[in-house]
Amino acid sequence: MSQTVIEPVSTAVRDENSPLLEIRDLEVGFQTQHGVVPAVRGVNLTLYPGQTLAIVGESGSGKTTTAQAIINLLANTGTVTAGQILFEGRDLTTLKPKEMQDVRGRLIGYVPQDPMSNLNPVWNIGFQVEEAIRANGGAMSRKAAKLRTIEVLKEAGLSDAEDRLKQFPHQFSGGMRQRVLIGIGLSARPKLLIADEPTSALDVTVQRQILDHLATLTRDYGTSVLFITHDLGLAAERAEQLVVMYKGKVVESGPSQEILANPQHPYTQRLVAAAPSLASRRIQSAKHSVAVDTDVSAAGANDQVLVNRAIEREQAAPAKDLISVQGISKMYRIRTKGFKYNELLAVNDVSFGIKKGTTTALVGESGSGKSTVAKLILQLESITSGQIEFDGQDVAGLKGADLLKFRRRVQPVFQDPYGSLDPQYNVGNTIAEPLLAHKVGTAKERQARVRELLDQVSLPWASRHRYPSELSGGQRQRIAIARALALKPDVLVLDEAVSALDVLVQGQVLNLLTELQTELDLTYLFITHDLAVVRLVADNVCVMQQGRIVEAATTDEVFDNPRQTYTQELLAAIPGGNFEFGR
């Protein structure tokens, strides 16, 4: 079957100095019951062949909307109302649907932000990758398609790709699902890859592997990359050009190093000041100094909360473990051909304790067992062996009213905010749901609690009527955190709770969590791949590799004197670690 080829306009006069992508005065609006709401207002940017450009900005700033407009993937209510999107000289806004299908995937690859909702839960991974390969690469034999599928997954960082083909998305960690999407986006060797938060779910070692692969494509195939990211360290390290968006507009653009070293716009200055890698250096220097400098205007006054909390925790007297994990293991049976099964030991003899009022971080690469440990503690899955005690009580034996009481005291914030929010519930009902389930308060009191929680996670009261599909990834994550806080629990199990947030909102949420911990003596199990965030919030760190804890110590000990080679590799892979933000 032949495939239509879209030729660029005026190829005879184009040269290597011509832009690959040029956006001119782009306007995008969304139709609502109150009229058209502008989301992107007069955006201009230029990307050349082989170049990498990063768009940064807070949730709702128009980053993803701009990216989706390029390949006509806007929601049904969204439309380009003005401007041009020129790809190889051709205005993509004028293409018919069939013409856009021939461009999308084959010439312009796309890696969406949310890995779970963009993989079909009823199809296995191999089928979904092979489907994309066939759609973008034309006819090929069944054997050739399978071999190419395995190759694509290996390129995306799945070394055991052949064994993973028959598995389904729910059997993959968040990072593994993200790698599948990255593989699909790169499968046709596109000229342009649009990557919307492509590494937000990845640990730093896999992130480096993926980004190194993208850099190889850029060098060897001339692939251009358009990054949508909230990670300024990543932008500084990987992108030559930077575009800063705020409230639908571009407020600053130019070479990445120049902008991050000397930001001109007040909003860019706030972003740089809130960069986690810089904040961690500030807090560590404050903790180790005799007198803490209270003038933190350059970094933002919120950092002082974290400094004070860090000092308080260092001075706190030892206490009994609130959560005690003793030699737990978790074995899964994975079906292969016919009725045969393979056994996978996801968690292997893991032990650690968390004292009341402290934060313990579980770090490690995707598939290391971090999230599985969280599910076992939350009693969402059964333990194969070992024991978990909460407040001196074996949680495995809890049933009925005792189990309900436990769930009220220990609340989760899951990694995938879209998958954990009911699409048929608006924001207000979502946050109030645990209050109703546990019969807490009157209708009026519940409404007041919802208002309080929305304020705490920096969302307007008016957002209570919106639905998950109408929210950005960062906004959905804030709703998930608000819901977890609704019952005023003793423990929060936070699984990548800030990975989808831009640095400003991330800072707000981390400060909120720190303030709540101080005020309410909360205990946190913080699961993350972001080591800069770990240094900000954690008292103790447990490093996991292949289902085991390979290193466990205080945060300072792990960062200042890592003993295991694996831990050293994790620390060395932090993006932007050697870049000095601001001047």
Side-chain angles (χ1 to χ4, degrees):
M1 183 182 292
S2 62
Q3 193 167 12
T4 304
V5 177
I6 304 296
E7 294 291 343
V9 173
S10 304
T11 54
V13 297
R14 291 181 60 81
D15 57 40
E16 61 182 9
N17 295 319
S18 299
L20 177 69
L21 175 71
E22 190 174 7
I23 297 179
R24 300 176 179 172
D25 301 319
L26 180 66
E27 305 266 348
V28 178
F30 288 87
Q31 184 67 48
T32 70
Q33 57 184 350
H34 302 295
V36 176
V37 175
V40 171
R41 300 183 289 169
V43 163
N44 291 276
L45 64 84
T46 302
L47 179 63
Y48 288 88
Q51 192 179 64
T52 299
L53 181 149
I55 303 179
V56 301
E58 64 188 3
S59 301
S61 63
K63 307 187 304 293
T64 296
T65 299
T66 298
Q68 291 176 339
I70 295 172
I71 49 178
N72 193 25
L73 283 182
L74 293 168
N76 292 335
T77 57
T79 183
V80 174
T81 56
Q84 293 179 300
I85 302 173
L86 303 176
F87 179 73
E88 293 190 314
R90 183 164 193 170
D91 189 355
L92 298 182
T93 65
T94 66
L95 297 188
K96 297 178 181 179
K98 180 62 172 69
E99 293 175 320
M100 179 55 76
Q101 288 176 15
D102 291 326
V103 171
R104 188 191 302 129
R106 188 173 61 86
L107 298 177
I108 303 178
Y110 181 57
V111 180
Q113 181 176 1
D114 184 6
M116 191 57 191
S117 63
N118 286 285
L119 290 173
N120 193 318
V122 301
W123 289 348
N124 65 44
I125 294 299
F127 178 84
Q128 296 189 61
V129 177
E130 185 175 326
E131 181 189 39
I133 291 170
R134 290 184 180 278
N136 298 321
M140 62 176 67
S141 69
R142 191 171 185 178
K143 182 178 180 180
K146 181 179 179 180
L147 291 175
R148 177 60 181 145
T149 298
I150 295 171
E151 181 185 10
V152 163
L153 291 177
K154 285 184 177 179
E155 288 178 348
L158 291 171
S159 58
D160 54 348
E162 188 169 4
D163 297 331
R164 298 284 187 176
L165 296 181
K166 296 297 184 181
Q167 290 187 270
F168 291 82
H170 74 273
Q171 296 173 300
F172 277 36
S173 68
M176 293 164 67
R177 292 195 294 260
Q178 188 68 282
R179 278 178 273 177
V180 171
L181 289 179
I182 290 170
I184 290 173
L186 292 170
S187 62
R189 295 281 192 265
K191 293 184 178 181
L192 170 64
L193 180 71
I194 300 174
D196 189 355
E197 299 284 5
T199 58
S200 63
L202 302 181
D203 58 85
V204 289
T205 51
V206 176
Q207 175 177 263
R208 170 160 289 185
Q209 179 183 353
I210 293 296
L211 295 178
D212 285 347
H213 176 60
L214 292 181
T216 299
L217 285 178
T218 301
R219 182 182 66 248
D220 295 347
Y221 300 100
T223 303
S224 299
V225 180
L226 179 63
F227 272 123
I228 312 297
T229 182
H230 63 264
D231 190 332
L232 288 176
L234 178 62
E237 187 174 274
R238 298 288 178 167
E240 297 97 334
Q241 299 292 314
L242 184 65
V243 170
V244 181
M245 291 190 67
Y246 179 60
K247 293 186 177 180
K249 293 183 177 181
V250 173
V251 296
E252 194 162 355
S253 63
S256 299
Q257 300 284 329
E258 292 182 13
I259 289 179
L260 294 176
N262 189 26
Q264 299 298 307
H265 193 275
Y267 176 70
T268 312
Q269 293 169 358
R270 289 170 54 206
L271 285 180
V272 172
S277 56
L278 177 62
S280 64
R281 288 196 292 272
R282 286 194 300 267
I283 288 175
Q284 291 305 307
S285 63
K287 285 170 65 178
H288 291 295
S289 64
V290 176
V292 178
D293 183 4
T294 57
D295 182 9
V296 291
S297 57
N302 286 337
D303 290 329
Q304 188 61 41
V305 176
L306 297 178
V307 173
N308 292 339
R309 180 57 183 152
I311 295 171
E312 290 172 6
R313 287 186 299 202
E314 282 191 348
Q315 297 173 346
K320 183 181 177 181
D321 289 342
L322 180 63
I323 298 175
S324 177
V325 177
Q326 304 165 21
I328 63 169
S329 295
K330 178 62 180 179
M331 181 77 75
Y332 290 101
R333 297 183 69 205
I334 300 176
R335 185 171 179 175
T336 55
K337 296 180 180 178
F339 293 96
K340 295 182 179 180
Y341 290 86
N342 287 335
E343 292 186 334
L344 173 64
L345 190 59
V347 175
N348 187 2
D349 194 25
V350 165
S351 299
F352 63 90
I354 309 177
K355 297 187 184 302
K356 184 174 177 60
T358 68
T359 299
T360 292
L362 274 183
V363 300
E365 61 189 2
S366 301
S368 63
K370 306 186 304 295
S371 294
T372 302
V373 170
K375 292 175 184 177
L376 296 176
I377 291 175
L378 290 163
Q379 285 299 285
L380 297 177
E381 293 193 7
S382 60
I383 305 167
T384 303
S385 62
Q387 188 177 38
I388 298 174
E389 292 185 354
F390 172 70
D391 205 8
Q393 190 173 23
D394 184 359
V395 299
L398 298 179
K399 295 180 180 179
D402 289 335
L403 181 59
L404 189 65
K405 183 178 179 181
F406 167 77
R407 296 202 186 285
R408 180 167 177 173
R409 296 183 64 189
V410 182
Q411 283 285 301
V413 179
F414 293 113
Q415 180 177 0
D416 177 20
Y418 194 80
S420 62
L421 299 180
D422 191 327
Q424 298 183 359
Y425 273 34
N426 64 29
V427 166
N429 290 336
T430 294
I431 297 175
E433 183 181 18
L435 298 172
L436 283 168
H438 289 265
K439 300 178 181 179
V440 175
T442 64
K444 185 176 181 180
E445 288 170 341
R446 288 193 291 268
Q447 186 179 49
R449 179 63 176 151
V450 170
R451 180 189 286 270
E452 179 185 5
L453 289 162
L454 284 172
D455 184 61
Q456 286 180 328
V457 297
S458 303
L459 287 174
W461 174 236
S463 65
R464 69 190 185 280
H465 297 304
R466 300 175 69 183
Y467 288 83
S469 62
E470 300 174 307
L471 303 173
S472 68
Q475 289 170 330
R476 290 197 293 265
Q477 191 66 288
R478 282 181 272 173
I479 295 303
I481 292 170
R483 182 176 63 180
L485 293 171
L487 293 169
K488 300 181 179 180
D490 297 309
V491 176
L492 286 187
V493 178
L494 301 129
D495 190 354
E496 300 287 4
V498 296
S499 63
L501 306 181
D502 61 84
V503 292
L504 291 178
V505 176
Q506 184 182 86
Q508 292 171 5
V509 171
L510 291 175
N511 284 329
L512 170 64
L513 292 172
T514 303
E515 291 166 2
L516 289 169
Q517 188 172 51
T518 302
E519 294 170 7
L520 306 175
D521 203 21
L522 288 171
T523 304
Y524 296 147
L525 175 61
F526 204 95
I527 297 168
T528 183
H529 64 267
D530 192 334
L531 292 172
V533 169
V534 167
R535 195 160 197 178
L536 280 173
V537 301
D539 303 288
N540 300 288
V541 178
C542 296
V543 181
M544 291 195 68
Q545 182 184 27
Q546 296 180 348
R548 288 181 174 271
I549 290 180
V550 296
E551 187 160 358
T554 67
T555 303
D556 284 345
E557 289 172 345
V558 169
F559 277 80
D560 297 339
N561 186 30
R563 299 181 181 277
Q564 298 294 320
T565 302
Y566 177 67
T567 308
Q568 295 167 4
E569 292 173 352
L570 287 178
L571 294 172
I574 299 175
N578 297 321
F579 183 78
E580 188 64 31
F581 291 90
R583 284 179 181 168

